[in-house]
Amino acid sequence: MNRQHTAINKLFGISKPIVQGGMVWVSGGKLAAAVSEAGCLGLVGAGSMQPELLKLHLEKARTLTAKPIGVNIPLLYSKVQEQIEVALAAGIRIFFTSAGSPKTWTGYLKDRGATVVHVTSSPELARKCEAAGCDAVVAEGFEAGGHNGRDEITTMVLIPQVVDAVKIPVIAAGGVGDGRGIAAALALGASGVQIGSRFAATVESSAHSNFKQAIVDATPGATMLAMKELVPVRLLKNKFYDQVHALELQCADKEKLTALLGKGRAKLGMLDGDLDEGELEIGQVSGLIKDIPTVAALVSRLESEYRAAVSVLPRSLTGE
């Protein structure tokens, strides 16, 4: 996995085609810097940050690494423009956008010399991203944690369809948590992978230790997609999830779900560590996660696992 291997390495100036997901309450400057130092692309997750806090995290990241870092900015929040201006002023020129139209900010960012990647959940949206001028797309399957696409297309089905639909590089996301997943994504035609949940359970992650341990303890069926009437989100099952599920079984309207959700649920669970009342956003791949390593140790392991996975493919395919 060196920089000559994929278009993603060249696009971002990284040595390994791995992007760390910009997760709310988890992806601070410390995590992003550690990921970039390991040869991948670290992203500061702006979705849970006021502009002032984003500025502090970007400044912190710059004290920890001189390598490329980027920001992930969900477009559904009210202070998007302020976040963008803060990131540009901090020298950020790699932007991952999500949860909105790629037309809204891509041109503005490109005019200011930025590389723009938008998160998609369908081939149709990927085409719109390409038409809007995006440099690449993240094709995120139904397995992913956090906010999800409504079509429920799984990663293995989604990636080749998106690769066939666009000419720009495709980054595979959703369910990638080890080197085998990276090998599979590249075999499906992706130029790289975006990994979220696996990086959430690392030493440098901003997540509360309770949340990290809950990820490690998760069983294969421990997550479910919820709140499709609002914005679909994949959650670890807990007391809060049970309350949401009960309302959904009653065919509750958006107002009742919104009232239950309230404000600060994700912070309560992921940053403050309340495993009962908090919203615990994580992917299905949590069932594979069994430890909380440093980022450097994890990336080294991912590379070893990738090489091991690739090494057996010729024998498997040819019967030799």
Side-chain angles (χ1 to χ4, degrees), residues 20 34 42 47 49 57-58 64 67 69-70 72 116 129-130 155-156 162 193 204 253 257 275 290-291 295 297 315:
Q20 162 245 316
M49 298 181 185
H57 275 277
L58 293 175
L64 298 172
K67 294 184 178 180
I69 61 170
N72 175 274
V116 183
C129 294
E130 185 173 44
T155 301
M156 191 166 185
V162 173
V193 298
E204 293 89 346
D253 56 23
L257 287 169
L275 300 185
K290 303 302 179 187
D291 61 355
V295 165
R315 291 193 296 273

Side-chain angles (χ1 to χ4, degrees), residues 147-168:
H147 295 299
N148 233 305
R150 294 185 179 277
D151 295 326
E152 301 187 10
I153 306 174
T154 62
T155 301
M156 191 166 185
V157 175
L158 177 64
I159 300 309
Q161 292 187 61
V162 173
V163 168
D164 289 348
V166 298
K167 296 180 180 179
I168 56 178

